[in-house]
Amino acid sequence: MKALFPAALLAAGLALPAGALDLTSMSAAERAAFRAEVRAYLMENPEVIMEAVAVLEERQQAQQTADDVELVMANAADLFDDGASWGGGNLDGDVTIVEFVDYRCSYCRKAFPEVSQLVSDDGNIRLILKEFPILGEQSVASSRMALATKLALGDDAYKQVHDSLIAFRGEVNDISVRALAAELDLDGDAILAKMNAPEIDAVLAETRALAQRLQISGTPTFVVGDQLLRGYLPYAGMQQVVEEAREDG
């Protein structure tokens, strides 16, 4: 019985609500003895610590998921219907994916063909693209070119430029803008004329503010239904998240 006492005492103490085990009511000797017994128990049973850490991580993840759902719901209009972002795929789809993208982001480039394939394979996904240039001046220049194309030439031309920029490795400047536009049979001068338009400044500022509200600091970030996915997720993982959103919806 004496050998079982420390473990029983520890278990009872951990099971009590916070504050129920009042160490301040113990004498100094009792507190020292209790702490020694707890330490000895944990040293003999270190797996208890890992189990506790696992439970804590599960609770934190569940809380993060719940917080993200609230953030998405609170910002739904700006995410799904801002009137400025490109929308494609099935515009009447039952699941919407919003992607925050930076053209200089290696993981955005890695995700691009997989997201495109998923939208094509599924056939019932609406895709919304948010220009979120965070990796320097060339990221900003790339987003300005894409948005200028949308402003000057429309949604179809924007998608052509978007798809080209995601793979483009050079510097975005007047020469390369004209060259890329020519490859796509688009009017480079019309694009350049809109590169510094105040409407583009407004879109970029609004997207940055939206990202801050959603606590997004990196790319790619996806919103799938009411879930936030911070970072790259392979095709199979994205497909599973889409199915979960479909079931929840």
Side-chain angles (χ1 to χ4, degrees), residues 160 164 168 175-188:
Q160 288 181 273
S164 294
F168 184 65
I175 296 173
S176 62
V177 168
R178 286 193 175 93
L180 281 171
E183 289 177 10
L184 300 171
D185 198 23
L186 299 174
D187 186 343

Side-chain angles (χ1 to χ4, degrees), residues 64 67-69 71-72 75 78-80 97-102 105 108 128-134 204-232:
Q64 181 67 64
D67 291 345
D68 285 346
V69 169
L71 287 173
V72 170
N75 292 279
D78 292 330
L79 278 166
F80 306 120
I97 296 177
V98 180
E99 180 180 3
F100 288 75
V101 61
D102 183 316
C105 164
C108 293
I128 295 174
L129 299 175
K130 299 283 189 183
E131 300 285 338
F132 188 43
I134 56 175
L204 292 176
E206 288 165 5
T207 301
R208 283 195 299 270
L210 175 61
Q212 289 177 344
R213 293 196 299 274
L214 293 170
Q215 299 172 16
I216 294 172
S217 58
T219 56
T221 294
F222 301 93
V223 178
V224 184
D226 60 6
Q227 295 187 55
L228 264 170
L229 305 177
R230 294 177 171 85
Y232 165 77

Side-chain angles (χ1 to χ4, degrees), residues 74-191:
N75 292 279
D78 292 330
L79 278 166
F80 306 120
D81 191 25
D82 67 358
S85 299
W86 178 89
N90 183 344
L91 297 180
D92 297 317
D94 62 349
V95 173
T96 297
I97 296 177
V98 180
E99 180 180 3
F100 288 75
V101 61
D102 183 316
Y103 294 106
R104 298 293 163 139
C105 164
S106 60
Y107 281 100
C108 293
R109 291 172 171 171
K110 186 175 182 178
F112 170 72
E114 298 182 10
V115 172
S116 299
Q117 189 65 46
L118 177 61
V119 172
S120 176
D121 290 347
D122 186 281
N124 206 20
I125 295 173
R126 178 173 64 139
L127 177 65
I128 295 174
L129 299 175
K130 299 283 189 183
E131 300 285 338
F132 188 43
I134 56 175
L135 296 177
E137 293 181 2
Q138 281 299 303
S139 292
V140 174
S142 298
S143 285
R144 283 189 172 278
M145 180 182 179
L147 291 170
T149 302
K150 187 175 187 297
L151 196 61
L153 305 175
D155 284 354
D156 291 344
Y158 167 90
K159 188 60 166 62
Q160 288 181 273
V161 168
H162 170 84
D163 293 357
S164 294
L165 285 172
I166 204 73
F168 184 65
R169 303 286 177 171
E171 182 177 343
V172 176
N173 53 35
D174 288 6
I175 296 173
S176 62
V177 168
R178 286 193 175 93
L180 281 171
E183 289 177 10
L184 300 171
D185 198 23
L186 299 174
D187 186 343
D189 289 334
I191 295 171

